[in-house]
Amino acid sequence: MSSGDVLRAGSEGPAEDATATVLLVEDDDGDALLVTELLDDADVAIVLRRARSVAEAVEALSRPGGSPGVDCVLLDLGLPDAVGLTAVSRLREVAERVHDVPALVVLTGLTGGDQGLQAVAAGADDYLVKGETDAGLLGRSLRYALQRRRSAAQQRALYRSAVRAEETARLERALLPNPLVGDERVSVMVGYLPGGGGLLGGDFFDTVERPDGSVLSVVGDVAGHGPDEAALGATLRTAWRTLVLTGTPPEHVLEQLERVLLTERARPEVFVTLAQAVVTPDRSGVDLYLAGHLPPLLITGPVGDLSCELLAPTGRGRALGVPVEGGWHPRRIDLDGPFALMLYTDGLVEAEVNVGAPQLAADPVTGEPSVDGLGRDALGLVALQGGGAPLGPLRRRVPRLGQSGLHDLVADDLDRHGIVGVVERVLRRVRALHGGPLTDDAALLVLGWTGRDTPYLGERSSTLADSAEWARP
């Protein structure tokens, strides 16, 4: 039997049906045949591979596709290229470099209890003497070693998962800062809903009150998912807060933030959409900057009589990082009395929903369920721009909530419950409409003012909607 030979011990079935792969490191053909017969008698379902030296075993463990497939090494200590326990140390050193470390059982003709203890201390899982080992003992030793190996692999997987979760939580916390707002009548309610599949995105937001009394809020969305995008989102949020705190005029914040993006992004195709709201010191208006981002919802009226308006995307500039002409200019929204702006990322409006869901309004012309949000936005943009050219047929897709659907959902929630707690309720309802975790992550920020002559103070809340408890109905 030459190096690399494969056979099924304990069965004549195909090798791919086996549950474990054992690498026998043995230079003596007679002893190799004896081990094969013992494994046959033990009825252990394995694939048995052969190496004649430590060098061949190292090659089998190291070559691509070799090491992850070896579950256990049966090692003889009397090999031509190793003396004593050096073979154990060499193979254990190589095995620790692979993703899942295989078990290691010493099977040798050398006797002596001290030798066995030293082998285990050097990294072996068990030590068997050939002349004293029968089929039952060899089978049990392999089964126990393989089980210990699987348990150790599970522990390593749990540890890696915990480390990844901790790193993800750290990045998420960086994306969810505490607002720096002193005015007690200003409401700041934020929420973040991670997407499914464990994909961390680059949504970010922040709110800062300046010494002159103006309040600035931002919601941004880095294109893509993953640690790089999340880290970039955290960097841009920190840069935005720094620019605001150091007195950069609001009309220059976006151009400076784009400079940070261009130097920090991992790839030239990465871009960022962003919405920035600047509330005047006297709370009589808001300057809204849109950099390729969706417009917010405007909530006005006193407690108990709230109205919700979907703002048109007028004055929208290009996304940050997109190499085209154009800048960003504010749109002034005049206000009189209590108000709130609901800024959000596209993960909410891209949520897929059932066509028959009661939250979906029927199209006012056809009476059919509304087309997705993208289609309705396209119609709205044509109407706003006064375009007379006929539209081609809109591509029918899986229905999505869309901006109009989000407006209807928020308006209904405000009528039922008021504005306190609206962020968590909206995130829950959108997730329920989608039928589980969203495909994309979603951020939601409500910036409001309770009014000058009212007894109500501003609401402050933060919702990181990533726990199993939160996801339950």
Side-chain angles (χ1 to χ4, degrees), residues 7 10 123 153 375 377:
L7 59 87
D377 291 345

Side-chain angles (χ1 to χ4, degrees), residues 103-414:
L104 195 156
V105 175
V106 172
L107 181 62
T108 181
L110 302 176
T111 61
D114 291 343
Q115 187 85 353
L117 290 176
Q118 293 172 12
V120 173
D125 292 282
D126 205 349
Y127 181 93
L128 301 176
V129 180
K130 292 178 181 177
E132 303 173 1
T133 302
D134 58 14
L137 180 58
L138 179 58
R140 285 194 300 273
S141 180
L142 278 182
R143 291 187 183 95
Y144 294 162
L146 288 169
Q147 184 56 49
R148 285 193 294 269
R149 183 253 188 190
R150 295 187 184 104
S151 297
Q154 290 171 356
Q155 290 298 321
R156 287 191 296 272
L158 288 173
Y159 174 76
R160 288 192 293 265
S161 178
V163 170
R164 285 195 298 266
E166 184 177 346
E167 291 298 321
T168 298
R170 185 178 295 111
L171 283 172
E172 287 175 346
R173 287 193 297 269
L175 300 177
L176 296 170
N178 292 322
L180 299 180
V181 178
D183 188 343
E184 294 183 344
R185 295 188 179 277
V186 171
S187 297
V188 182
M189 295 175 281
V190 299
Y192 178 65
L193 182 60
L199 296 176
L200 185 64
D203 290 6
F204 63 94
F205 45 81
D206 202 355
T207 301
V208 173
E209 182 178 6
R210 288 188 162 184
D212 65 356
S214 60
V215 179
L216 282 74
S217 282
V218 67
V219 166
D221 186 359
V222 179
H225 298 87
D228 289 342
E229 288 74 14
L232 180 58
T235 297
L236 293 175
R237 185 207 62 76
T238 302
W240 182 86
R241 175 175 282 202
T242 301
L243 289 168
V244 174
L245 289 176
T246 54
T248 303
E251 62 270 21
H252 297 310
V253 167
L254 298 192
E255 64 185 69
Q256 297 300 322
L257 196 63
E258 185 177 47
R259 295 179 62 185
V260 177
L261 168 64
L262 296 179
T263 58
E264 295 294 330
R265 63 185 179 183
R267 303 178 306 279
E269 64 270 19
V270 174
F271 64 92
V272 174
T273 66
L274 181 146
Q276 175 180 271
V278 183
V279 181
T280 59
D282 62 0
R283 312 297 185 243
S284 64
V286 174
D287 288 331
L288 181 63
Y289 297 79
L290 295 178
H293 204 80
L294 300 171
L297 301 178
L298 176 61
I299 303 168
T300 56
V303 174
D305 188 22
L306 299 174
S307 62
C308 182
E309 175 186 356
L310 175 59
L311 296 177
T314 54
R316 179 159 53 187
R318 63 177 177 84
L320 273 62
V322 177
V324 297
E325 295 294 329
W328 308 277
H329 305 284
R331 171 193 176 186
R332 170 56 66 93
I333 303 172
D334 294 319
L335 301 167
D336 182 18
F339 71 90
L341 281 175
M342 179 176 285
L343 299 96
Y344 51 90
T345 56
D346 61 1
L348 284 179
V349 298
E350 286 297 310
E352 297 179 358
V353 297
N354 295 322
V355 174
Q359 290 87 343
L360 281 180
D363 185 276
V365 177
T366 66
E368 298 178 354
S370 299
V371 296
D372 60 49
L374 181 61
R376 295 186 63 170
D377 291 345
L379 292 171
L381 282 172
V382 171
L384 287 169
Q385 295 169 356
L391 282 176
L394 292 175
R395 182 163 57 97
R396 301 289 297 196
R397 304 187 304 175
V398 176
R400 302 180 187 274
L401 182 63
Q403 291 178 262
S404 299
L406 178 63
H407 166 267
D408 295 343
L409 187 151
V410 172
D412 177 71
D413 186 86
L414 293 173

